[in-house]
Amino acid sequence: MDGEAKPLRADAQRNRERVLAAAEMVLARDGTAASMRTIAAEAGVGLGTIYRQFATKEALVEAIVFERARQLIELAEELANAPDPGVTFFEFFSQIVEFSTRKRSLTDALPDPDLAIDKDRSGIEQEMRRVLSALLERAQAAHAVRGDFGIDELLALLLATSLAAEKATWSDEFRERTLGFVFDGIRYRTGD
Amino acid sequence: MDGEAKPLRADAQRNRERVLAAAEMVLARDGTAASMRTIAAEAGVGLGTIYRQFATKEALVEAIVFERARQLIELAEELANAPDPGVTFFEFFSQIVEFSTRKRSLTDALPDPDLAIDKDRSGIEQEMRRVLSALLERAQAAHAVRGDFGIDELLALLLATSLAAEKATWSDEFRERTLGFVFDGIRYRTGD
Amino acid sequence: MDGEAKPLRADAQRNRERVLAAAEMVLARDGTAASMRTIAAEAGVGLGTIYRQFATKEALVEAIVFERARQLIELAEELANAPDPGVTFFEFFSQIVEFSTRKRSLTDALPDPDLAIDKDRSGIEQEMRRVLSALLERAQAAHAVRGDFGIDELLALLLATSLAAEKATWSDEFRERTLGFVFDGIRYRTGD
Amino acid sequence: MDGEAKPLRADAQRNRERVLAAAEMVLARDGTAASMRTIAAEAGVGLGTIYRQFATKEALVEAIVFERARQLIELAEELANAPDPGVTFFEFFSQIVEFSTRKRSLTDALPDPDLAIDKDRSGIEQEMRRVLSALLERAQAAHAVRGDFGIDELLALLLATSLAAEKATWSDEFRERTLGFVFDGIRYRTGD
DNA sequence: TATGAATGAGTATTCATTCAT
DNA sequence: GATGAATGAATACTCATTCAT
């Protein structure tokens, strides 16, 4: 839909990936305050090499967020036709939160209704809304999730629990227990 | 060993408050990356004036967090004997989240199990746990909240929803709707 | 010859002395990098009180140097008619150096031929030259010090050994031993 | 574990030298209170350029001191086998003092028994003691210097006269005359 | 008159970004 | 293309000095 115009030379592509991997690791460890120099060192490339691929630090961070969003979308798409829509929905929710525990700043990948929405960002966010809506609707059709629970509320609660998990590093056990209460509030019940 | 020793000269007190107010505003807007100079300018005082009251930037931020935590605790204490424990509990939860919508970084006031806990911080966090536990237990005794919902889960969900509300600036209407689902998962139901 | 015009109120005089004493102590300990606030705290007075007596930090430092110079001069004058001019001369030399070991920056009290010489400074320096010359000449007249050793060389060697003693904090024993060599070079010898 | 690892790019090397030269000059003029900005301006480079070569101001100052110490050592080593040990010894002493007249703060290169001694510093100071001891012992063996004059006293008097020469900027003529008296005190005499 | 609160220029240092090698 | 040296704006913090209380 944009960008990736020329298919990058092989070595350039390899460098791009090394930088992304290093940046992901360093940012996860040090937060966005991490310096470009640190990232370059971790990637084993020169500073200039990063700037060849990413115009600014902001662009690099965005690329990572973008990448993560793509992974989420991919995962959601794989699950689009999974056998049990209800179980699938809740497991997917849980998985996203677990992801956040491990990778700091993943939450930036979730649509932020506030931020100035540039083209690229908007595109992927739309896509995320789309795939999440699909999972949600299937779960509702299967009478596993309440019908009055909308996509905006889903995004809000995903963001909420992911942020908290990220900030406080929830244990697996604690995550499941806490999410359990949220899920109980969302779950379809006879009489709704 | 605490502080509040001498009762500050009138002008010093006024400046202290101006600095705190300005810092709260600027930090809410720009995050903790905001510069001391910006805060001083916003407060209409010289840089040195800030440093007279707060030894470091960190101390200033902590003072704000501390102040907010104290407000929360005060509110919770006022509600400790309110007539309807169930309604009180859920309204309190909602109010905290609403607070976050207006004042960014309030969430720092909620206990963060992770961070190195210095004495002062630890004190206020213990207090917050205590008052929140009291509200929770009263609501549980009144069969308004599930008995298996603990203080840690409460803190986690408060943090979660506050962070999200803060990040995305939820409207009143959206907040009530979204929290409604969470509350439904927490609420006591016959058969538990 | 100047300054001390009005004879200062009793309390003002007391404050002046407290400040001087504190400043001497603090400057000796921390060097001239010591802050005015530290000095005020040590003296147990407010910052303003220091500035009432000394227009600038520089003026305060100068006052101390001045004070020390006056002490040296006084000592030299007391010795002007001491019984053994030779012993007196060398003991005086040694005492000045010992002084430097204890009080940092005393060396500033010794005439510095370089510096822009303001009126006050010049006055006391002239005086110091005068009293030192007197001691020296008496020692030479008594055939205790070589006749070709002049006042400029005396000042230079006093400054030299004082600076070194100050910088390296010589022990009593080391000072006497080291000065011994210098004295041997100055001492009158048959055949001169 | 030492340093001189990679042989610096040509431009980096040139800048390093420009910085060192500028720092030497500025520090000589303004003392160690001189600001990094002033040094950068004098060197005609950006502030960051200094910090690329020297991690802190302290490191820069140390580098200069180190450099000077190395020059002294080199000079001393060249003289280690000079024909007349006595003349050599006194000329070397005089040369060091003359050096100080031109380059302020050289005296920092002389071992300071006081200061916290870090590894590098300690290394070079040991070396300086060693080469000076060698010169001294040769002069003593040649009956040019008194046998009871030790390396510590030598270092003390070198420091003393260098500091004074630095502070007061002695003329060539005055230096020779004044040092003459010191030398006379050190010199070997029949009857010792 | 004494106090210490307020001021803001000045300091060392960091870091995103540019550009010569 | 890749490297990393150079740049300088920006940051937290200090301190001599002034001035309201």
Side-chain angles (χ1 to χ4, degrees):
Chain A
M1 208 150 290
D2 132 296
E4 258 80 340
K6 316 174 197 168
L8 285 179
R9 270 172 43 178
D11 55 345
Q13 181 58 34
R14 198 173 54 248
N15 272 335
R16 187 187 164 87
E17 270 150 27
R18 274 165 64 166
V19 168
L20 274 175
E24 183 152 352
M25 198 255 244
V26 171
L27 290 174
R29 195 186 58 208
D30 305 346
T32 51
S35 80
M36 292 295 265
R37 190 171 295 277
T38 305
I39 294 171
E42 179 64 38
V45 302
L47 266 173
T49 304
I50 299 188
Y51 279 95
R52 168 154 296 270
Q53 304 283 350
F54 307 97
T56 64
K57 185 182 181 180
E58 203 187 357
L60 172 58
V61 172
E62 265 196 2
I64 291 175
V65 170
F66 200 85
E67 181 59 30
R68 287 178 178 173
R70 188 146 302 285
Q71 286 172 23
L72 283 195
I73 290 168
E74 218 164 292
L75 174 58
E77 277 172 339
E78 278 169 22
L79 298 175
N81 300 305
D84 188 330
V87 170
T88 298
F89 175 81
F90 291 114
E91 279 183 3
F92 177 72
F93 194 126
S94 187
Q95 241 174 90
I96 289 185
V97 176
E98 193 244 333
F99 220 57
S100 295
T101 310
R102 286 180 293 123
K103 311 245 179 183
R104 274 182 69 177
S105 91
L106 163 79
T107 43
D108 291 330
L110 295 170
D112 179 344
D114 234 20
L115 250 47
I117 303 181
D118 61 295
K119 285 284 171 46
D120 290 356
R121 191 69 177 264
S122 158
I124 200 132
E125 290 186 355
Q126 288 307 321
E127 210 173 331
M128 185 153 350
R129 277 182 83 88
R130 198 172 46 68
V131 296
L132 287 178
S133 288
L135 283 184
L136 172 60
E137 281 161 23
R138 273 219 323 152
Q140 288 171 322
H143 286 290
V145 166
R146 289 165 60 169
D148 58 348
F149 186 67
I151 178 67
D152 286 326
E153 289 85 354
L154 170 56
L155 288 169
L157 289 183
L158 264 175
L159 176 63
T161 48
S162 293
L163 281 170
E166 195 175 283
K167 194 172 163 67
T169 41
W170 294 351
S171 72
D172 285 357
E173 198 268 332
F174 184 73
R175 179 184 67 247
E176 293 309 320
R177 181 145 39 92
T178 304
L179 286 183
F181 293 99
V182 177
F183 292 170
D184 279 356
I186 293 172
R187 208 184 310 278
Y188 179 85
R189 268 180 267 172
T190 355
D192 276 5
Chain B
M1 203 145 293
D2 179 67
E4 256 76 343
K6 334 181 181 170
L8 281 183
R9 255 166 57 179
D11 53 348
Q13 180 60 34
R14 196 174 56 249
N15 271 331
R16 187 190 163 88
E17 272 150 25
R18 276 166 61 167
V19 168
L20 274 175
E24 186 155 347
M25 198 257 245
V26 171
L27 290 174
R29 195 186 59 209
D30 305 347
T32 50
S35 82
M36 292 296 266
R37 188 171 296 278
T38 304
I39 294 172
E42 179 63 37
V45 303
L47 256 177
T49 304
I50 299 188
Y51 282 97
R52 164 159 290 271
Q53 304 280 351
F54 307 97
T56 63
K57 184 180 178 179
E58 201 185 359
L60 172 58
V61 172
E62 266 196 2
I64 292 175
V65 170
F66 199 84
E67 180 59 28
R68 288 179 175 171
R70 190 148 299 287
Q71 287 173 20
L72 283 196
I73 289 169
E74 217 165 291
L75 174 59
E77 276 172 342
E78 278 170 22
L79 298 176
N81 300 306
D84 187 330
V87 170
T88 298
F89 176 82
F90 290 114
E91 279 184 3
F92 176 71
F93 194 126
S94 187
Q95 243 175 88
I96 288 185
V97 177
E98 192 243 334
F99 220 57
S100 295
T101 310
R102 286 181 292 122
K103 312 241 180 185
R104 268 185 72 181
S105 94
L106 161 80
T107 43
D108 292 331
L110 294 169
D112 179 344
D114 239 19
L115 251 47
I117 303 180
D118 60 296
K119 283 286 169 43
D120 288 357
R121 191 68 178 270
S122 156
I124 201 131
E125 290 188 355
Q126 289 305 322
E127 209 172 332
M128 182 150 354
R129 279 183 81 88
R130 198 172 45 68
V131 296
L132 288 178
S133 289
L135 284 183
L136 171 60
E137 281 161 21
R138 275 221 319 153
Q140 287 172 324
H143 287 291
V145 166
R146 289 165 59 168
D148 58 348
F149 186 67
I151 178 67
D152 287 325
E153 289 86 355
L154 171 56
L155 287 170
L157 289 184
L158 264 174
L159 176 62
T161 48
S162 293
L163 280 170
E166 199 173 277
K167 196 170 162 68
T169 41
W170 293 352
S171 72
D172 285 357
E173 198 267 333
F174 184 72
R175 179 185 68 249
E176 293 309 318
R177 180 145 39 91
T178 304
L179 286 183
F181 292 100
V182 176
F183 292 171
D184 279 355
I186 293 172
R187 208 185 309 279
Y188 179 84
R189 266 179 271 171
T190 357
D192 278 5
Chain C
M1 205 150 289
D2 131 296
E4 257 81 340
K6 315 174 197 167
L8 284 180
R9 272 173 41 179
D11 55 346
Q13 180 58 34
R14 199 175 53 248
N15 272 334
R16 187 187 164 85
E17 271 151 26
R18 273 165 63 165
V19 168
L20 273 175
E24 182 151 353
M25 198 257 245
V26 171
L27 290 174
R29 197 187 56 209
D30 305 345
T32 51
S35 79
M36 291 296 266
R37 190 170 297 277
T38 304
I39 294 170
E42 180 64 37
V45 302
L47 266 174
T49 304
I50 297 188
Y51 280 96
R52 169 155 294 272
Q53 305 283 350
F54 307 96
T56 63
K57 185 181 180 181
E58 202 187 356
L60 171 58
V61 172
E62 266 196 1
I64 291 175
V65 170
F66 200 85
E67 181 59 30
R68 287 178 176 171
R70 187 145 304 283
Q71 286 173 24
L72 283 196
I73 290 168
E74 217 164 293
L75 174 59
E77 278 172 340
E78 279 169 21
L79 298 176
N81 299 307
D84 188 330
V87 170
T88 297
F89 175 81
F90 290 115
E91 278 184 3
F92 177 72
F93 193 126
S94 187
Q95 241 175 89
I96 288 184
V97 176
E98 192 243 336
F99 220 57
S100 296
T101 309
R102 286 181 294 121
K103 313 244 177 185
R104 276 181 66 175
S105 90
L106 162 79
T107 42
D108 292 330
L110 295 169
D112 179 343
D114 233 19
L115 251 46
I117 303 181
D118 61 295
K119 286 283 170 45
D120 290 359
R121 193 69 178 265
S122 156
I124 199 126
E125 290 186 355
Q126 288 306 322
E127 210 173 332
M128 182 149 355
R129 279 183 81 89
R130 198 172 45 68
V131 295
L132 287 178
S133 288
L135 284 184
L136 171 60
E137 281 161 21
R138 274 220 322 151
Q140 287 171 324
H143 287 290
V145 166
R146 289 165 59 168
D148 58 348
F149 186 66
I151 178 67
D152 287 325
E153 289 85 353
L154 171 56
L155 287 170
L157 288 183
L158 263 175
L159 176 63
T161 48
S162 294
L163 281 171
E166 197 174 282
K167 194 172 163 69
T169 42
W170 292 353
S171 72
D172 285 357
E173 199 267 332
F174 184 73
R175 179 186 66 249
E176 293 309 320
R177 181 146 37 94
T178 304
L179 286 183
F181 292 99
V182 177
F183 293 170
D184 280 356
I186 293 172
R187 208 184 310 278
Y188 179 84
R189 268 181 270 173
T190 356
D192 277 4
Chain D
M1 201 145 294
D2 179 68
E4 257 78 342
K6 335 181 183 172
L8 282 182
R9 255 167 55 178
D11 52 349
Q13 180 59 32
R14 194 174 56 249
N15 272 331
R16 186 188 165 89
E17 271 150 26
R18 276 166 63 167
V19 167
L20 274 174
E24 186 154 348
M25 198 255 244
V26 171
L27 289 174
R29 194 186 60 210
D30 305 347
T32 51
S35 81
M36 291 297 265
R37 189 171 297 278
T38 305
I39 294 171
E42 179 63 36
V45 302
L47 258 177
T49 303
I50 298 187
Y51 282 96
R52 164 159 290 272
Q53 304 281 350
F54 307 97
T56 63
K57 184 180 178 178
E58 202 186 356
L60 173 57
V61 172
E62 267 196 1
I64 291 175
V65 170
F66 200 85
E67 180 59 30
R68 288 179 175 171
R70 190 147 300 285
Q71 287 172 21
L72 283 196
I73 289 169
E74 217 165 292
L75 174 59
E77 278 172 340
E78 278 169 23
L79 299 175
N81 299 306
D84 188 328
V87 170
T88 298
F89 175 82
F90 290 114
E91 279 184 2
F92 176 71
F93 194 127
S94 187
Q95 240 173 92
I96 289 185
V97 176
E98 191 243 335
F99 219 55
S100 296
T101 311
R102 288 180 292 122
K103 312 242 179 185
R104 267 186 71 182
S105 94
L106 162 79
T107 43
D108 291 330
L110 293 170
D112 179 344
D114 239 17
L115 251 45
I117 303 180
D118 60 295
K119 286 283 169 47
D120 289 358
R121 190 70 178 267
S122 156
I124 201 133
E125 290 188 353
Q126 288 307 322
E127 209 172 332
M128 184 152 351
R129 278 183 82 88
R130 198 172 46 69
V131 296
L132 289 178
S133 288
L135 284 183
L136 171 60
E137 281 161 21
R138 274 218 323 151
Q140 288 172 323
H143 287 290
V145 167
R146 290 166 59 169
D148 58 348
F149 185 67
I151 178 68
D152 287 324
E153 290 85 355
L154 170 57
L155 287 170
L157 289 183
L158 263 175
L159 176 62
T161 47
S162 294
L163 280 170
E166 200 173 278
K167 196 172 162 69
T169 40
W170 294 352
S171 71
D172 283 359
E173 199 268 332
F174 184 71
R175 178 185 68 249
E176 292 309 318
R177 179 145 39 91
T178 304
L179 286 183
F181 292 100
V182 176
F183 292 170
D184 279 355
I186 292 171
R187 208 184 309 279
Y188 179 85
R189 269 179 267 170
T190 356
D192 279 2

